Amino acid sequence: MESVAPILLALLATIIIEVAVLLLLGEKRRKVLLASVVINIITNVPLNIIAQYVGLSTVGVITGELIVVVVEALWYYLFVKKASQALVYSLLCNAISFLIGLICTTLPDICYHLA
């Protein structure tokens, strides 16, 4: 198996981004912030292993992300006790971290082709 560094880097970036999103949404409860870290370890690592080492089509990535959103929304619900808040947390956290990841992985290619 290749280096685990890309998987760990993706996990660390996701945790930082998603905790920051929760803080920006006004979440101050440590148990919810810690729950975000735990659920990202559970969902991010397998999805990134599959995406990087097995390979996923665009449909596969979208399907994987949708599964993660559902799993994380259910997890957040255990802590926030409001379905709408849990869903908003999961959707926003995952959308923002996905978009930042997409930008970070495609920006070098874009800059290379512009030069």
Side-chain angles (χ1 to χ4, degrees):
M1 182 180 266
E2 295 184 30
S3 172
V4 297
I7 302 292
L8 294 177
L9 183 59
L11 175 62
L12 180 61
T14 299
I15 289 171
I16 291 169
I17 292 164
E18 294 195 13
V19 168
V21 169
L22 291 172
L23 290 168
L24 288 171
L25 290 171
E27 184 56 64
K28 295 179 178 120
R29 294 171 285 187
R30 286 184 187 210
K31 69 178 183 178
V32 176
L33 300 173
L34 182 58
S36 176
V37 172
V38 170
I39 196 60
N40 274 294
I41 292 168
I42 294 168
T43 59
N44 184 277
V45 173
L47 184 58
N48 275 297
I49 288 172
I50 293 167
Q52 290 186 23
Y53 297 112
V54 176
L56 287 176
S57 64
T58 301
V59 172
V61 170
I62 292 169
T63 302
E65 288 292 335
L66 290 174
I67 291 168
V68 167
V69 166
V70 170
V71 168
E72 290 187 11
L74 293 170
W75 177 258
Y76 282 124
Y77 178 75
L78 296 174
F79 297 90
V80 299
K81 304 297 185 205
K82 291 181 184 175
S84 60
Q85 185 179 21
L87 186 57
V88 166
Y89 279 6
S90 183
L91 281 171
L92 284 177
C93 285
N94 283 288
I96 292 169
S97 65
F98 180 80
L99 289 173
I100 290 172
L102 190 61
I103 290 167
C104 289
T105 57
T106 58
L107 190 58
D109 288 337
I110 292 169
C111 292
Y112 174 77
H113 291 296
L114 292 175

